[in-house]
Amino acid sequence: MIMATQKITFSLSNSLSELERLSELLSLIGEKWSLPGKIILQLNLALDELFTNVVSYGIEREPDQEVHFTIAHREDEIEIVVSDGGQSFDPTQAPVPDLNLSLDDQPVGGLGIFLMRQYTDNIEYRRENGKNIVTLTKKI
Amino acid sequence: MDIRKTEEQGVIILAPDGRLDSNSAPILEQEIGSIGSDDEGHHLLLDFSKVEYISSAGLRVVLKTVKERQAASKSFAVSNMQDHVREVFEISGFDSYVTIHPDTPQALANFK
């Protein structure tokens, strides 16, 4: 973990077991920046869902790939840039689930990106030099 | 993830302990799957008192369980949710699919 002024970067291997480390790192960042526990929980969920998608669908065939996170603390928001070198995956284009469906019609799954959207204020995606770059912002 | 399994008044109670994410959800899914044939006729309660975090992978297991139990005409409910977990359920509209009880005694009373 490299610390600059109000900016922290770290990387995770492309394994779902890294989710535990993600949560530990976010807790530490929350303490360092004195962020409310609720904000950290919500950011954790947003990043968990994105990371899970990337690991499950984006880079599963490339075992040595890492997913990189840069977290910046601004006056009134947290900005997180997540990048990976896997297959092209644009979360802003993910279909929005219909929450009003009856139980029988409700598909099992597909809520991850929906939750990521719920717990952030803005999501931008770009593909650059063979990398997926997702920028999430959350007001604090 | 550790999952405590107990039985009370004909209700199987599974109490997962920890974070319910895409890494741990398959463990719960397997545990729920394993109660099928041995415990026929029993009701199932998921006690979430020790679950401090749930992601869509955890929601997926809950929805799958709701559908399977309903198809088999067996009862299922969730209890003891912490605030953040409950919020994720509500945002996802899951509170309309799953019966949620505040505590275990109320859940047990409602299974009768």
Side-chain angles (χ1 to χ4, degrees):
Chain A
M1 201 153 78
I2 303 158
M3 301 226 181
T5 327
Q6 305 292 70
K7 203 171 200 179
I8 294 173
T9 70
F10 60 88
S11 300
L12 301 178
S13 316
N14 63 337
S15 160
L16 294 179
S17 61
E18 289 279 82
L19 284 171
E20 201 173 321
R21 242 183 93 221
L22 174 65
S23 137
E24 286 165 7
L25 287 167
L26 290 172
S27 292
L28 288 173
I29 290 167
E31 276 172 37
K32 185 175 172 58
W33 289 346
S34 306
L35 295 171
K38 195 178 169 76
I39 295 279
I40 289 300
L41 265 171
Q42 294 180 348
L43 283 175
N44 194 161
L45 186 58
L47 293 178
D48 169 335
E49 300 294 356
L50 180 61
F51 179 75
T52 294
N53 263 279
V54 167
V55 170
S56 306
Y57 310 111
I59 54 180
E60 57 186 337
R61 289 184 199 85
E62 296 157 69
D64 299 328
Q65 288 270 5
E66 287 194 323
V67 182
H68 307 280
F69 296 79
T70 300
I71 307 190
H73 185 199
R74 302 219 185 91
E75 198 180 344
D76 61 346
E77 66 177 21
I78 300 287
E79 183 194 80
I80 305 175
V81 179
V82 183
S83 67
D84 71 271
Q87 291 173 41
S88 180
F89 170 64
D90 181 355
T92 64
Q93 299 299 315
V96 179
D98 183 352
L99 303 181
N100 296 316
L101 290 176
S102 71
L103 176 61
D104 287 343
D105 295 331
Q106 188 64 53
V108 174
L111 278 170
I113 299 302
F114 166 79
L115 286 174
M116 182 179 86
R117 283 192 178 121
Q118 290 296 308
Y119 283 131
T120 51
D121 292 293
N122 191 46
I123 303 171
E124 282 168 27
Y125 170 83
R126 65 181 198 274
R127 182 85 183 166
E128 208 173 87
N129 300 323
K131 287 186 190 303
N132 295 306
I133 300 168
V134 180
T135 304
L136 307 169
T137 48
K138 184 171 181 63
K139 300 255 180 278
I140 52 174
Chain B
M1 156 168 281
D2 292 327
I3 302 172
R4 190 169 47 94
K5 182 179 175 182
T6 52
E7 198 187 319
E8 230 173 290
Q9 302 167 32
V11 179
I12 293 172
I13 305 173
L14 292 182
D17 186 346
R19 301 168 63 84
L20 201 45
D21 57 25
S22 53
N23 191 42
S24 60
I27 301 168
L28 178 62
E29 187 173 5
Q30 197 177 8
E31 188 67 31
I32 291 171
S34 74
I35 61 173
S37 51
D38 291 350
D39 306 299
E40 213 168 324
H42 282 91
H43 304 299
L44 174 63
L45 176 66
L46 280 183
D47 172 355
F48 268 15
S49 54
K50 289 185 173 160
V51 176
E52 79 237 29
Y53 174 94
I54 190 166
S55 76
S56 67
L59 291 178
R60 193 192 143 274
V61 173
V62 171
L63 184 61
K64 184 169 175 257
T65 305
V66 172
K67 289 189 171 206
E68 285 174 357
R69 302 289 298 182
Q70 205 171 72
S73 304
K74 290 176 185 173
S75 311
F76 170 61
V78 183
S79 70
N80 305 68
M81 270 186 196
Q82 297 185 26
D83 287 348
H84 175 68
V85 172
R86 174 141 199 149
E87 187 186 289
V88 173
F89 261 73
E90 287 172 357
I91 282 180
S92 309
F94 270 46
D95 49 334
S96 63
Y97 302 133
V98 192
T99 311
I100 301 171
H101 295 292
D103 55 43
T104 309
Q106 286 200 40
L108 292 175
N110 271 280
F111 274 126
K112 284 176 185 163

